[in-house]
Amino acid sequence: MDLYFVKVKGRSKATAEEFVGFLFGKANNAPDFDFLMVPLRFSEQLDEIDLNDNILDFKEKYNKLKNELMKESVVEDLTISFNSFLNTIFNKRGKIAVGIEITAAVKENDMELLKVILTGLIEEWSPKPDLEVVADGLTLEEYSAYNVLDMKEDFEDVIISDLYKRSDLEKLPEFFPVIDPIGGESITKFDVGDVIYVVPVEINKLEEKLRKKYPKNFVEDNKVLPFPAKILAKEMVPTKKGYLYLCKIDLGDEIYGKFVVSPSFKLLYDENVLREKQKNTEKVSEHKVKIVKPANVNVPGGSELFWAFMTTMIFSGLLIIILYFLKIL
């Protein structure tokens, strides 16, 4: 398990409020969170949210509902106050410590323990709330696959389908980049030659070659770890929803592939490689010669140069005449 995603619905008996939201983070790390808090008269609208939906469907419905209800000033005030309160509590208790507690509960699939943890976090706002909790533990590969499925409409775009018929792409196997929603970087930050991590869409066609090249990436329970791939080419492709990036990749030993990805996704990468790249960029900047233009220097215009020239010529002429007569005398 690389990620945890905890979906929560609750009702506060003391304050006559209802809320829905989520906590999302890397295993044993601080969670990101977002909650929508409403007075009870809006509670029926929260029934639109199903805690059993997968992560993408849940977030889509949640964001849509939140955008609608935040138009109500009372909902906006409550929601901002509640999220601010939670942020204070997390800072007080230690965000990483809370993340470790949540990770342990999700790994054990212990919803009752999660309720105890969450009740403890909000007890100062709402003592003994009624809570519903559903949690998912995800690998980065599973989370990436969800997002690839969500991009299905973009892949069916005529431009993309025609692009895949191109002679240099048609026979290349399809991969998807591994998404790291917490610590990753957009594809826009990567250049040709950089290394990112990918998983084949259909492992069967490449299994023999990949096993030979990366035997340690094939682990028990038929699981496959992400493969490092060097970017050979990167190009921007317009679609109905905006721009995507098409990349051709090299996994070594003549294993090549392709993928299309949205710039909004954060991709898993080797931190050491990008850190070294950043250092090299800084070193180049340090050695660049800076040309400093002197301040408050008036550069003469064309007419000023002309009169300066004429003045010099007149002075020179007078000097020659004076010298001539001096010689005569």
Side-chain angles (χ1 to χ4, degrees), residues 180-218:
D180 180 353
I182 308 298
E185 289 284 1
S186 167
I187 187 64
T188 58
K189 298 290 179 85
F190 296 91
D191 299 320
V192 171
D194 286 341
V195 174
I196 59 173
Y197 290 88
V198 298
V199 175
V201 173
E202 294 183 28
I203 187 71
N204 296 337
K205 296 180 179 179
L206 295 167
E207 184 171 356
E208 187 178 342
K209 284 186 176 181
L210 288 172
R211 276 187 182 276
K212 186 176 179 180
K213 175 67 177 174
Y214 301 102
K216 293 181 180 179
N217 285 51
F218 291 82

Side-chain angles (χ1 to χ4, degrees), residues 6-232:
V6 181
K7 298 163 276 188
V8 187
K9 266 188 185 178
R11 176 172 290 198
S12 168
K13 298 173 184 176
T15 56
E17 297 159 348
E18 193 161 334
F19 56 90
V20 65
F22 62 88
L23 302 102
F24 181 43
K26 271 190 169 182
N28 296 318
N29 277 274
D32 289 332
F33 62 87
D34 192 41
F35 283 85
L36 173 65
M37 174 73 76
V38 302
L40 284 182
R41 68 176 183 271
F42 293 96
S43 61
E44 286 187 8
Q45 288 171 265
L46 267 58
D47 292 338
E48 298 174 21
I49 306 294
D50 185 352
L51 298 189
N52 292 308
D53 281 343
N54 68 48
I55 181 172
L56 296 182
D57 291 340
F58 176 88
K59 288 185 77 173
E60 182 180 358
K61 291 177 184 176
Y62 171 81
N63 289 331
K64 182 179 178 183
L65 181 63
K66 186 178 179 183
N67 289 336
E68 288 176 7
L69 292 183
M70 286 288 277
K71 294 172 185 175
E72 301 284 344
S73 59
V74 64
V75 173
E76 183 181 25
D77 291 343
L78 274 175
T79 296
I80 291 172
S81 296
F82 185 64
N83 282 294
S84 178
F85 160 79
L86 275 179
N87 191 55
T88 301
I89 295 297
F90 272 82
N91 288 331
K92 187 187 296 184
R93 299 199 179 184
K95 290 184 177 180
I96 292 179
V98 174
I100 291 171
E101 290 180 6
I102 293 172
T103 300
V106 174
K107 279 185 177 178
E108 295 297 322
N109 196 30
D110 192 337
M111 298 304 107
E112 292 306 314
L113 177 56
L114 274 174
K115 287 181 183 180
V116 171
I117 294 169
L118 295 171
T119 298
L121 291 171
I122 64 174
E123 63 183 352
E124 292 180 30
W125 180 287
S126 172
K128 297 181 180 179
D130 289 331
L131 294 178
E132 292 179 61
V133 180
V134 175
D136 299 313
L138 302 164
T139 64
L140 290 175
E141 295 87 343
E142 288 169 338
Y143 181 76
S144 304
Y146 275 132
N147 282 278
V148 169
L149 290 173
D150 193 48
M151 285 177 59
K152 192 171 184 293
E153 287 184 22
D154 293 325
F155 285 111
E156 290 173 351
D157 189 293
V158 174
I159 294 173
I160 298 295
S161 59
D162 286 348
L163 188 68
Y164 273 16
K165 294 174 185 174
R166 215 168 68 185
S167 59
D168 62 321
L169 296 171
E170 191 172 14
K171 293 183 179 179
L172 286 180
E174 180 80 18
F175 287 77
F176 61 86
V178 178
I179 297 168
D180 180 353
I182 308 298
E185 289 284 1
S186 167
I187 187 64
T188 58
K189 298 290 179 85
F190 296 91
D191 299 320
V192 171
D194 286 341
V195 174
I196 59 173
Y197 290 88
V198 298
V199 175
V201 173
E202 294 183 28
I203 187 71
N204 296 337
K205 296 180 179 179
L206 295 167
E207 184 171 356
E208 187 178 342
K209 284 186 176 181
L210 288 172
R211 276 187 182 276
K212 186 176 179 180
K213 175 67 177 174
Y214 301 102
K216 293 181 180 179
N217 285 51
F218 291 82
V219 294
E220 55 188 23
D221 299 327
N222 294 320
K223 290 184 179 178
V224 179
L225 300 178
F227 301 96
K230 185 186 292 185
I231 298 174
L232 293 178

Side-chain angles (χ1 to χ4, degrees), residues 257-271:
K258 64 176 181 267
F259 67 79
V260 171
V261 69
S262 166
S264 64
F265 292 158
K266 294 182 176 181
L267 308 184
L268 180 68
Y269 63 94
D270 186 334
E271 293 182 16

